[in-house]
Amino acid sequence: MKNCVNFNSPDVVKLAGELNVSPAVAAAKIGLYQDKNGLDKFPTVDELNNIKTGVKDVFEANPELENI
């Protein structure tokens, strides 16, 4: 991930709730999405649901990240 997404942003918190994940996980997914699609694009819930590669592994390997 090349960019840093603020997981306290209201848009990120809203998407996290819709995805039923923590804001940190949502921010990671948004970062991966934006790496591929550009920083000016903000994903929809459906687009984020398609991002699975790597995110789960990061949080399983570093569970303390979800508590940030």
Side-chain angles (χ1 to χ4, degrees):
M1 191 164 50
K2 297 176 187 176
N3 65 320
C4 181
V5 177
N6 180 354
F7 58 85
N8 290 316
S9 163
D11 291 332
V12 174
V13 172
K14 180 181 177 205
L15 275 177
E18 293 172 1
L19 292 167
N20 198 30
V21 298
S22 72
V25 171
K29 288 185 174 197
I30 292 166
L32 291 171
Y33 174 88
Q34 288 180 332
D35 283 350
K36 184 177 180 182
N37 298 290
L39 296 177
D40 60 331
K41 303 217 186 266
F42 199 80
T44 64
V45 171
D46 290 334
E47 291 168 325
L48 287 184
N49 277 329
N50 292 327
I51 297 177
K52 296 177 181 151
T53 306
V55 173
K56 183 178 178 184
D57 295 336
V58 169
F59 288 101
E60 284 179 356
N62 302 293
E64 68 276 2
L65 292 176
E66 283 199 56
N67 297 321
I68 297 175

